[in-house]
């Protein structure tokens, strides 16, 4: 077994040269989407959202190409795609690095969510009335299981899936497309906030209240609870990031 390791990167193990181990280290192994670029992007995205690649970590094309057994071209394209989601910053002088969230980013991100997501949730409740949202319920149960086990690494993804199950029910492609663009960055910022100040149990209770309002077809309450939830998360994150300075 060969172990590739560099001081600037977490290690990852391969069973044989060029073959990825399913039990690799902090960076997840590559899966099998459509292309090498997709594979590198998905692996790096997961590492960033899980905190294996922390804010400010340099992302060097040559090192990543060696790490994942690909040329620099798919790495370069993957980094461009991650830049478009807000997870990566590309600077002409300092190179590529994982984004460093600050209060301005949190304020702008959560203001955008406040402007769109509560309306989408209200529209969904008005459209469907009293109805079940099994996808949201499953995401809520998964989040509760992760919290109960103490394995909260995947919690951000479960929470984002919960929110998406509700707002996509509004059946408005423009609202959904806009909110989808914010998904990765929201998961990234929220995950960083939890590592500084754990609030996921409070958020789980808020999610439960929102889902119950949706299941009862109470559009006004679902909208109000969603808005309050996002505003509270924004304040908590701003405070946590401020404490970390």
């Amino acid at each position: 077994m060969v172990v590739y390791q560099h001081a600037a990167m977490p290690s990852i193990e391969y069973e044989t040269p060029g073959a990825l181990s399913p039990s690799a280290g902090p960076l997840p192994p590559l899966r099998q989407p459509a292309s090498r670029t997709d594979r590198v992007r998905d692996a790096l995205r997961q590492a960033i959202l899980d905190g294996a690649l922390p804010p400010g970590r340099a992302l060097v094309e040559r090192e990543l190409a060696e790490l994942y057994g690909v040329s620099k071209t798919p790495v370069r394209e993957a980094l461009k795609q991650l830049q478009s989601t807000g997870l990566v910053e590309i600077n002409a002088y300092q190179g590529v690095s994982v984004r460093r969230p600050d209060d301005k980013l949190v304020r702008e991100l959560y203001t955008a969510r406040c402007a769109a997501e509560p309306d989408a949730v209200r529209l969904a409740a008005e459209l469907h009335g009293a109805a079940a949202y099994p996808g949201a319920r499953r995401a809520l149960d998964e989040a509760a299981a992760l919290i109960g086990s103490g394995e909260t690494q995947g919690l951000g993804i479960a929470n984002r899936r919960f929110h998406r199950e509700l707002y996509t029910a509004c059946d408005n492609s423009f609202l959904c497309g806009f909110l989808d663009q914010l998904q990765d960055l929201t998961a990234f910022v929220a995950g960083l906030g939890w590592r500084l100040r754990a609030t996921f149990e409070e958020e789980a209770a808020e999610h439960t209240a929102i889902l119950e309002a949706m299941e009862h077809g109470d559009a006004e309450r679902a909208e109000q609870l969603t808005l309050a939830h996002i505003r509270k998360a924004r304040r908590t994150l701003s405070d946590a990031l401020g404490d970390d300075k």
Side-chain angles (χ1 to χ4, degrees):
M1 181 178 294
V2 178
V3 179
Y4 170 82
Q5 189 167 9
H6 190 280
M9 291 287 292
S11 63
I12 185 167
E13 296 184 354
Y14 297 85
E15 293 297 333
T16 58
L20 294 175
S21 166
S23 59
L27 286 180
L30 296 178
R31 307 302 180 188
Q32 296 296 330
S35 70
R36 287 185 176 89
T37 295
D38 291 339
R39 294 166 62 198
V40 174
R41 179 202 62 217
D42 289 351
L44 290 175
R45 171 182 176 271
Q46 192 65 50
I48 292 170
L49 294 182
D50 288 345
L53 291 173
R57 172 63 62 85
L59 301 172
V60 181
E61 288 182 12
R62 174 182 53 79
E63 294 175 353
L64 294 172
E66 292 176 358
L67 180 65
Y68 287 128
V70 299
S71 70
K72 290 196 292 185
T73 299
V75 171
R76 186 177 303 118
E77 292 303 313
L79 291 174
K80 288 179 181 177
Q81 291 181 21
L82 290 171
Q83 180 193 27
S84 71
T85 68
L87 295 179
V88 160
E89 295 176 313
I90 300 179
N91 186 291
Y93 301 101
Q94 298 177 348
V96 185
S97 61
V98 180
R99 186 165 191 165
R100 293 181 182 272
D102 56 20
D103 187 63
K104 181 176 184 294
L105 170 63
V106 170
R107 184 173 63 254
E108 291 182 352
L109 175 62
Y110 280 79
T111 297
R113 287 185 64 200
C114 283
E117 192 168 341
D119 276 350
V121 167
R122 173 180 53 79
L123 289 171
E126 290 175 347
L127 178 64
H128 298 286
Y133 296 84
R137 180 61 66 180
R138 284 193 298 272
L140 197 64
D141 291 343
E142 180 184 340
L146 289 169
I147 293 170
S149 68
E151 296 291 334
T152 57
Q153 191 176 62
L155 187 57
I157 300 300
N159 281 350
R160 298 279 58 76
R161 189 164 65 252
F162 170 82
H163 280 271
R164 191 174 192 277
E165 288 287 342
L166 296 186
Y167 72 66
T168 55
C170 74
D171 200 27
N172 184 308
S173 61
F174 295 103
L175 273 174
C176 295
F178 172 72
L179 289 167
D180 279 350
Q181 292 179 38
L182 307 180
Q183 283 284 78
D184 278 358
L185 195 53
T186 301
F188 174 55
V189 171
L192 176 62
W194 290 331
R195 288 191 285 277
L196 297 173
R197 184 180 302 173
T199 59
F200 32 76
E201 291 185 349
E202 297 173 29
E203 294 181 35
E206 293 164 12
H207 286 170
T208 298
I210 293 169
L211 181 56
E212 288 175 351
M214 294 288 288
E215 290 172 337
H216 285 88
D218 192 337
E220 183 177 355
R221 179 166 173 75
E223 178 185 26
Q224 292 173 347
L225 289 173
T226 301
L227 180 59
H229 172 67
I230 297 170
R231 284 176 171 170
K232 180 180 177 183
R234 179 181 63 190
R235 291 192 300 269
T236 301
L237 280 166
S238 293
D239 291 346
L241 290 170
D243 291 346
D244 192 48
K245 291 180 181 178

